[in-house]
Amino acid sequence: MSLQYEHTEDARYALVTGASRGIGAEVAERLATEGYQLTVSARHEATLADSVERLARLRSVHVHSEAVNLAVQKDVHRLVQSHKYQYGELDVLVLAAGMGNMSRTADLSTWDADIRFTVGVRSAFLLVGACLPMLRRAAGRNPGRGARVIAVAPGPESGRAHKDALVSLCEKLNHDEADNGVTATTISPGELDNEMTMWQEGHVTTEEMVISADVADVVVALTQLSGNLVAPNIVLARQNSRVLPG
């Protein structure tokens, strides 16, 4: 296969979903600063183009973008094939796309539940499965560093089922891919300072919430660990909050 990007010996590659805003945007910026060659995805082409322009100014890295709807299976596969065509390998897969918790659980319709599960969970399973060959190649090229899947899961109780599904996915991946150098981590933040949690206004102030930059810091820290270390689930909670076990 002829790749669009010419490999260098120390090149590192990352794919970040939900990269046009919030945690995904913060993570993409931090990884670009760290020197990763990137594929970034989001639903809306215009906001994604703004993100790419911003990333290109940070450092001399190659940024490839794909506007995809992760609720559509063929879009998921198009995203993976596009990254494969660009780079051929994948050191870090960051799953940061999701519909968030924009309303109280009692107000959710069946459509709300279906679309949130499809985007936040089903697409994650599909992406991980389709990206595994590239992750294994990257880990084989640099066994000391390995390759990582990092899934950002909703933290509040209304997102508990989705979080549990992603935790289960990462645990399974750690078990199955131990000999291939691929590890996985779920990051479970509590209430975040973005529009996805504005339904909590009056209950938790923005100043009290977990900030997206802190989540991005944890993602980058994980990429700097040796391939021998597995961190299955990291819970981030605001001060004075009730932290759910696991």
Side-chain angles (χ1 to χ4, degrees), residues 85-98:
Y85 179 61
Q86 289 291 322
Y87 305 118
E89 292 181 6
L90 180 59
D91 295 90
V92 181
L93 171 62
V94 181
L95 305 169

Side-chain angles (χ1 to χ4, degrees), residues 99-110 112-113 116 156-159 191 195-204 209:
M99 301 299 291
N101 295 290
M102 300 181 70
S103 59
R104 299 183 185 278
T105 305
D107 298 329
L108 293 177
S109 67
T110 301
D112 289 326
R116 291 184 192 195
E157 287 88 334
S158 57
E191 297 90 349
E195 68 274 16
M196 297 297 185
T197 52
M198 287 305 100
W199 63 272
Q200 296 185 90
E201 189 174 351
H203 170 61
V204 181
M209 291 183 178

Side-chain angles (χ1 to χ4, degrees), residues 15-18 23-24 27 31 70 91-98 119-128 135 147-155 159 161-174 182-190 192 215-216 218-220 222-223 231-236 246:
L15 192 165
V16 182
T17 65
I23 293 172
V27 169
L31 291 177
L70 294 180
D91 295 90
V92 181
L93 171 62
V94 181
L95 305 169
V119 173
V121 178
R122 183 173 179 270
S123 71
F125 278 73
L126 292 173
L127 281 167
V128 168
L135 290 162
R148 292 189 180 270
V149 174
I150 302 171
V152 181
H162 291 187
K163 182 180 85 71
D164 288 348
L166 293 176
V167 169
S168 178
L169 169 63
C170 289
E171 289 177 348
K172 178 68 171 171
L173 192 62
N174 285 324
V182 180
T183 60
T185 301
T186 311
I187 300 177
S188 306
L192 284 160
V215 182
V218 174
V219 171
V220 172
L222 286 168
T223 69
N233 184 32
I234 299 174
V235 177
L236 306 179

Side-chain angles (χ1 to χ4, degrees), residues 190-191 204 207-210 236-243:
E191 297 90 349
V204 181
E207 291 74 18
E208 293 177 290
M209 291 183 178
V210 177
L236 306 179
R238 61 184 176 85
Q239 290 187 15
N240 301 320
S241 65
R242 179 170 62 88
V243 180

Side-chain angles (χ1 to χ4, degrees), residues 24-231:
E26 291 271 6
V27 169
E29 288 189 12
R30 290 295 307 277
L31 291 177
T33 302
E34 293 290 316
Y36 280 82
Q37 316 305 320
L38 294 171
T39 293
V40 293
S41 76
R43 280 181 296 165
H44 303 297
E45 194 162 351
T47 54
L48 190 58
D50 292 340
S51 297
V52 171
E53 184 179 347
R54 183 175 65 253
L55 290 168
R57 293 196 299 264
L58 290 174
R59 186 169 169 172
S60 180
V61 295
H62 184 268
V63 182
H64 172 65
S65 66
E66 280 290 329
V68 296
N69 181 355
L70 294 180
V72 179
Q73 186 168 342
K74 67 179 181 180
D75 273 20
V76 174
H77 291 296
R78 175 164 61 85
L79 172 60
V80 175
Q81 290 304 311
S82 180
H83 178 91
K84 182 179 179 181
Y85 179 61
Q86 289 291 322
Y87 305 118
E89 292 181 6
L90 180 59
D91 295 90
V92 181
L93 171 62
V94 181
L95 305 169
M99 301 299 291
N101 295 290
M102 300 181 70
S103 59
R104 299 183 185 278
T105 305
D107 298 329
L108 293 177
S109 67
T110 301
W111 182 88
D112 289 326
D114 286 347
I115 196 68
R116 291 184 192 195
F117 180 85
T118 300
V119 173
V121 178
R122 183 173 179 270
S123 71
F125 278 73
L126 292 173
L127 281 167
V128 168
C131 287
L132 264 178
M134 290 188 289
L135 290 162
R136 289 167 179 162
R137 278 197 294 273
R141 180 168 56 88
N142 193 331
R145 184 175 62 218
R148 292 189 180 270
V149 174
I150 302 171
V152 181
E157 287 88 334
S158 57
R160 179 78 185 190
H162 291 187
K163 182 180 85 71
D164 288 348
L166 293 176
V167 169
S168 178
L169 169 63
C170 289
E171 289 177 348
K172 178 68 171 171
L173 192 62
N174 285 324
H175 178 271
D176 292 349
E177 294 298 317
D179 293 337
N180 296 318
V182 180
T183 60
T185 301
T186 311
I187 300 177
S188 306
E191 297 90 349
L192 284 160
D193 63 338
N194 60 31
E195 68 274 16
M196 297 297 185
T197 52
M198 287 305 100
W199 63 272
Q200 296 185 90
E201 189 174 351
H203 170 61
V204 181
T205 66
T206 301
E207 291 74 18
E208 293 177 290
M209 291 183 178
V210 177
I211 62 174
S212 298
D214 285 340
V215 182
D217 285 342
V218 174
V219 171
V220 172
L222 286 168
T223 69
Q224 295 170 343
L225 298 173
S226 77
N228 295 327
L229 189 142
V230 178

